[in-house]
Amino acid sequence: MIVRTTLYTVRGGDTVQVLQTAAHLAGHNVSVDIKLTNEKIDYKQYDLLHFFNITRPADMLYHINRSRKPFVVSTILIDYSEYDRYYRKGFSGKLFRYLSTDVIEYVKTMSRWFFGKDKLMTLSYAWKGQRRSIIEILKRATLLLPNSHSEYKRLVQQYKCKTGYIVVPNGIDPGLFRFDEAVEKDPQLVLCVARIEGIKNQLNLIQALRDTNFNLLIIGTGAPNQGSYYQACRKLATGNIKFIENLPQEALVSYYQKARVHVLPSWFETTGLSSLEAAAMGCNIVITDRGDTVEYFGTDAVYCDPGSAENIYIAVTKAAALPHNKSLQEKILIHYTWQQATIRTMEAYKRIKNIWD
């Protein structure tokens, strides 16, 4: 598994996905090594390469061209463009209003490299650009592993993708996230578990719930390149809003157990991994209406418009008044676990083995 260089230092949903998938595959006698994209890799040891995050194609091209091995991609196609164009501050926010989605991502990649925040593994990305690089990877991949059918449809719409795919859902660890019905929920406690950054939209969430009867607990670390956003969140927060640094999953259990509502009002979500975890722990869910969330949550969540603080407040108020949603909890325990994700991943690997034998 070849992953972004910041997988461990800037932890996100993909960090959990990679670590959980690798651990569960080991239980199926699949030997897995996790390598950062800037590590030297002896490709001869491996039958298959598994990449993550199609929005970072520069990380992939180098290894694809050098290894000449079959590969799959867990695409995790996040669309940052609405936030980047209309809500990002400073010079970059003004610039991005005039650029396409792929050009914005190209500028961000090249900027990280130029300022020494990331390594550009291959110069071919510099002249190919974001869009051409992604299209090349999609064409050359043996299979794609999106988190939903909705995500694959977006790949088709954006890049005319024709590569075969198997949906590998995001999941939870049911052995860890075990709901105790005997523990009373706090009707005023609202959680938001996510890295603190513009795309996750904590600023509008704080605007929505400041000086209200709700107690908002934001659990997450500020994104390293968005310090001003983090400070703006802290400055806007009132006495009913608290912050806790990023916690390991084991430590999240007691917070999920106590909260009535979990809210993720992001500008875009492929899934909303913390929302799955919270729902498994009996929280009612408020989640963005942007992205692929409906495929996961259907009518079992309250959706909000991330651009409207008023709408976010209304959604949280509605969710807080609803009874515990057992149907969503049961659906997650049946369909959205890391064991289910591993079964689908194994299905993909076996299909590739049949192709290449």
Side-chain angles (χ1 to χ4, degrees), residues 1 55 74 101 105 110 151 157 199 218 240 243 246 249:
M1 292 182 171
T55 52
S74 290
T101 300
E105 292 306 316
M110 296 302 288
E151 183 182 340
Q157 290 170 354
I199 191 73
I218 296 175
N240 64 315
F243 295 80
N246 186 52
Q249 287 198 299

Side-chain angles (χ1 to χ4, degrees), residues 36-228:
L36 303 181
T37 190
N38 60 348
E39 290 185 60
K40 187 175 181 180
I41 300 173
D42 180 6
Y43 305 109
K44 295 191 297 293
Q45 296 183 42
Y46 305 103
D47 300 310
L48 176 70
L49 305 183
H50 187 158
F51 294 98
F52 293 77
N53 294 306
I54 194 64
T55 52
R56 299 176 71 97
D59 289 353
M60 303 179 194
L61 287 172
Y62 173 84
H63 297 288
I64 291 168
N65 291 330
R66 286 181 65 87
S67 69
R68 302 201 177 277
K69 292 281 186 177
F71 68 92
V72 299
V73 183
S74 290
T75 45
I76 316 178
L77 181 63
I78 300 174
D79 186 350
Y80 296 90
S81 60
E82 183 176 11
Y83 168 72
D84 284 334
R85 286 198 191 105
Y86 304 114
Y87 300 98
R88 185 182 283 274
K89 304 297 183 183
F91 172 77
S92 58
K94 294 177 182 177
L95 173 65
F96 290 166
R97 286 173 201 152
Y98 303 99
L99 302 179
S100 69
T101 300
D102 289 311
V103 173
I104 290 172
E105 292 306 316
Y106 176 79
V107 170
K108 288 194 284 187
T109 299
M110 296 302 288
S111 296
R112 288 195 298 267
W113 167 65
F114 182 79
F115 290 107
K117 295 180 179 179
D118 211 342
K119 187 172 181 179
L120 190 66
M121 293 299 296
T122 175
L123 285 175
S124 67
Y125 174 81
W127 58 265
K128 286 180 180 178
Q130 179 83 357
R131 182 174 180 80
R132 285 176 61 194
S133 296
I134 288 178
I135 289 172
E136 178 182 337
I137 292 166
L138 294 176
K139 285 181 177 179
R140 294 174 64 181
T142 309
L143 273 178
L144 304 177
L145 310 182
N147 288 145
S148 63
H149 296 288
S150 173
E151 183 182 340
Y152 184 77
K153 288 176 183 176
R154 291 190 292 106
L155 285 164
V156 172
Q157 290 170 354
Q158 290 176 231
Y159 301 108
K160 312 302 179 188
C161 177
K162 296 180 181 178
T163 305
Y165 75 106
I166 291 177
V167 170
V168 177
N170 257 331
I172 62 116
D173 178 354
L176 177 61
F177 296 110
R178 301 174 66 179
F179 176 58
D180 185 353
E181 291 192 30
V183 177
E184 186 177 355
K185 290 281 188 182
D186 180 344
Q188 268 72 52
L189 181 57
V190 178
L191 288 187
C192 176
V193 179
R195 188 165 59 230
I196 300 173
E197 57 184 341
I199 191 73
K200 296 298 184 179
N201 200 32
Q202 286 95 345
L203 197 60
N204 272 0
L205 173 60
I206 293 167
Q207 182 65 53
L209 296 189
R210 67 195 303 266
D211 291 324
T212 65
N213 292 328
F214 293 109
N215 294 313
L216 173 62
L217 184 56
I218 296 175
I219 301 177
T221 302
N225 60 339
Q226 294 193 32
S228 60

Side-chain angles (χ1 to χ4, degrees), residues 22 26 51 60-61 70 75 87 113 184 217 230 235 259 274 278 290 312 318 329 332 351 355:
F51 294 98
M60 303 179 194
L61 287 172
T75 45
Y87 300 98
W113 167 65
E184 186 177 355
L217 184 56
Y230 177 79
K235 185 176 181 180
S274 60
R290 312 293 210 271
I312 294 170
K318 180 179 178 181
Q329 190 176 34
I332 290 169
R351 185 182 298 183
I355 292 171

